[in-house]
Amino acid sequence: VTGKNMFSVPHTVNPTTGIFVVGVHFVGVDHLVFDHNEVYDSGIFAAFFSNVTYARITNNYIHQPKPLTALKFTDGIHFIGPDSFLWIQNNRVNAGDDSIALNADDGNRTDSGDPNYANSQFPGVKWGWITDAHIDNNTLDYSYFGLRLYGATELIDRVSVTNMSGTACGITASLEGLTKLGSGNFGKINIDGWTLQTDGTCDSYKEPYNFLVSSNYVDLRISNVSIANPGVNWPVFTQTRADGGILSLRNWDLNTQTSTFSNVI
């Protein structure tokens, strides 16, 4: 893998075709089991899935060499809709972009942005809803972004995230609306058990948020959060735009022994 992507980052694309080189790539699979694998130093996404149902992504070690390379798109576990009934558990991830991503309207949809470039026109990858996903007991060694839920008009619903731990240098979790195409369409998102925190050192992105919300949602619940020294001058929960339904923040333990911490919300 020697070709350069649109940001002139080397070792990302096939130099002949110009297409991104992923680690593993599954499109259109029913009853997928991806278990006890190691994926190291992929060109871009380490593990990429689209149009899958009843998928078990478990007990994998997905990692990039350090130092991480910005703008290389080395996501850890990356889903583009449509996808349903996902079980993502006991994985260890170190990623140069999103560690775990559920992207409903990304892919080959016009004007969707990353990764909608000539480099990423993968056959068979479209876009669509993502429903019934359980993300449990995953550890992030280090990453630019931790958990990223991303969509415009397609539904992302019934997502449960439990026992997330580790460290990020940028955003720990984001629920984002794809602003060019829509404000997001999130149903019920439940996060329960969270010790993942950021050290705010991703200077290339300059977004060291903890929880960042910019999408419409019906029901967002974040409980049992334990963060010692958030370490960056941003609130722990930030909502920048969009219409919120039920917002529940319960059982938060914030040990803020640093002068750079601003406020909770």
Side-chain angles (χ1 to χ4, degrees):
V1 184
T2 56
K4 296 181 179 179
N5 67 12
M6 55 283 188
F7 295 109
S8 296
V9 178
H11 309 299
T12 54
V13 306
N14 181 314
T16 301
T17 65
I19 301 298
F20 282 143
V21 177
V22 304
V24 293
H25 188 182
F26 294 93
V27 178
V29 184
D30 186 30
H31 290 281
L32 168 66
V33 175
F34 188 72
D35 178 67
H36 279 97
N37 300 287
E38 180 175 3
V39 184
Y40 175 69
D41 198 12
S42 55
I44 58 150
F45 309 133
F48 180 38
F49 310 90
S50 180
N51 193 15
V52 300
T53 56
Y54 298 100
R56 298 184 67 89
I57 315 302
T58 52
N59 305 301
N60 300 291
Y61 183 25
I62 295 172
H63 57 129
Q64 299 294 326
K66 295 181 179 180
L68 299 173
T69 303
L71 301 177
K72 194 178 179 183
F73 306 127
T74 48
D75 290 22
I77 300 170
H78 188 108
F79 283 86
I80 289 180
D83 306 294
S84 292
F85 305 108
L86 312 177
W87 189 273
I88 305 167
Q89 186 180 51
N90 295 340
N91 299 286
R92 180 181 173 191
V93 182
N94 140 265
D97 205 344
D98 307 336
S99 290
I100 300 175
L102 305 182
N103 290 181
D105 295 84
D106 218 337
N108 291 339
R109 183 167 179 179
T110 303
D111 293 328
S112 65
D114 170 29
N116 183 251
Y117 300 104
N119 298 126
S120 61
Q121 298 303 301
F122 298 121
V125 176
K126 300 299 181 183
W127 63 86
W129 65 89
I130 298 179
T131 62
D132 301 289
H134 184 50
I135 302 169
D136 174 61
N137 199 40
N138 295 282
T139 301
L140 310 187
D141 284 345
Y142 205 62
S143 63
Y144 280 109
F145 304 97
L147 173 70
R148 189 184 189 198
L149 310 182
Y150 186 52
T153 59
E154 298 288 343
L155 178 65
I156 298 179
D157 194 15
R158 299 186 299 276
V159 176
S160 171
V161 182
T162 53
N163 305 314
M164 182 77 83
S165 62
T167 305
C169 63
I171 298 174
T172 62
S174 62
L175 282 70
E176 297 182 50
L178 205 169
T179 54
K180 288 184 179 180
L181 298 174
S183 299
N185 181 14
F186 289 13
K188 185 173 183 179
I189 311 296
N190 182 45
I191 298 173
D192 186 359
W194 188 275
T195 57
L196 176 65
Q197 63 187 69
T198 179
D199 64 14
T201 59
C202 289
D203 293 335
S204 58
Y205 290 100
K206 301 185 185 300
E207 291 186 319
Y209 290 92
N210 288 280
F211 294 100
L212 176 64
V213 176
S214 63
S215 171
N216 295 346
Y217 59 86
V218 174
D219 190 332
L220 172 60
R221 299 170 186 262
I222 307 175
S223 58
N224 295 308
V225 173
S226 179
I227 299 177
N229 295 331
V232 293
N233 192 29
W234 294 98
V236 178
F237 180 91
T238 303
Q239 183 167 331
T240 59
R241 58 178 176 266
D243 296 327
I246 297 171
L247 174 63
S248 174
L249 309 177
R250 295 179 181 271
N251 298 325
W252 285 28
D253 179 10
L254 305 178
N255 184 349
T256 58
Q257 300 177 7
T258 170
S259 61
T260 60
F261 177 74
S262 60
N263 55 26
V264 178
I265 300 174

